[in-house]
């Protein structure tokens, strides 16, 4: 009788171990791995409008009412020149993109300015992107010079005093 009892315990223990193993590992079977998600690891937005690839599009400004610079890249893989019109409620710019080429708006020769964004840095400006007969309404991130890598692009120059509120107050001396 002892042998049957031990065999029964082993079967129950093996079943419990199998259930535990399945319970611990099964979430990977039904949930997608986070490392397989594709996304734009940047501050701008990524989309395609018609056959034009818009990469890392953002606006850099001091405030809602100051001039804003358009940053990002436009890639035209077609055999025909295209242009992107970026329209905000405050103004618009048109950017020509030759056939089989890319336009990097960070380069001085490709600088494009808008009169203002109408929204404060940290928000998204409602914009319409138009390429030929295709258009898309998007929210374009508006940033300022808080992040050092964008300071050189702030129209009119970056004023470091705008960051004073981010500096911690000195701690009082302890007794």
């Amino acid at each position: 009788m002892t042998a049957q009892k031990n065999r029964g315990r082993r079967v129950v223990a093996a079943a419990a171990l199998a259930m535990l193993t399945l319970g611990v590992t099964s979430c990977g079977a039904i949930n997608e791995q986070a490392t397989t998600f594709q996304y734009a690891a940047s501050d701008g937005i990524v989309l395609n409008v018609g056959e034009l690839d818009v990469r890392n599009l953002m606006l850099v400004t001091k405030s809602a009412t100051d001039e804003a610079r358009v940053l990002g890249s436009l890639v035209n893989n077609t055999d025909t020149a295209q242009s992107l019109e970026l329209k905000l409620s405050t103004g618009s710019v048109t950017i020509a993109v030759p056939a089989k080429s890319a336009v990097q708006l960070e380069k001085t020769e490709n600088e494009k300015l808008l009169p203002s964004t109408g929204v404060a840095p940290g928000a998204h400006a409602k914009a319409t992107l138009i390429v030929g007969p295709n258009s898309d309404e998007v929210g374009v991130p508006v940033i300022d010079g808080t992040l050092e890598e964008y300071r050189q692009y702030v129209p009119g120059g970056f004023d470091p005093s705008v960051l004073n509120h981010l500096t911690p107050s000195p701690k009082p001396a302890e007794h």
Side-chain angles (χ1 to χ4, degrees), residues 2-115:
T2 307
Q4 278 184 328
K5 203 182 227 185
N6 284 340
R7 188 171 53 191
R9 286 181 181 167
R10 280 189 232 141
V11 169
V12 170
L17 184 60
M19 292 302 288
L20 179 64
T21 302
L22 181 61
V24 171
T25 61
S26 66
C27 58
I30 59 173
N31 292 319
E32 199 171 347
Q33 289 180 326
T35 56
T36 64
F37 295 137
Q38 293 194 10
Y39 64 96
S42 181
D43 298 311
I45 59 171
V46 172
L47 70 150
N48 297 336
V49 183
E51 294 182 324
L52 193 66
D53 301 340
V54 180
R55 300 293 179 256
N56 200 27
L57 183 67
M58 68 183 87
L59 303 169
V60 182
T61 187
K62 291 179 188 177
S63 73
T65 56
D66 284 307
E67 270 189 322
R69 181 161 177 189
V70 182
L71 295 183
S73 295
L74 305 174
V75 181
N76 180 1
N77 291 313
T78 71
D79 294 325
T80 308
Q82 298 188 52
S83 64
L84 171 80
E85 183 179 6
L86 169 65
K87 292 174 86 171
L88 302 178
S89 63
T90 57
S92 66
V93 294
T94 300
I95 305 160
V97 186
K100 299 281 185 191
S101 68
V103 173
Q104 296 174 330
L105 297 167
E106 291 79 7
K107 292 185 176 182
T108 305
E109 64 269 17
N110 298 327
E111 182 176 16
K112 296 292 181 183
L113 297 172
L114 289 160

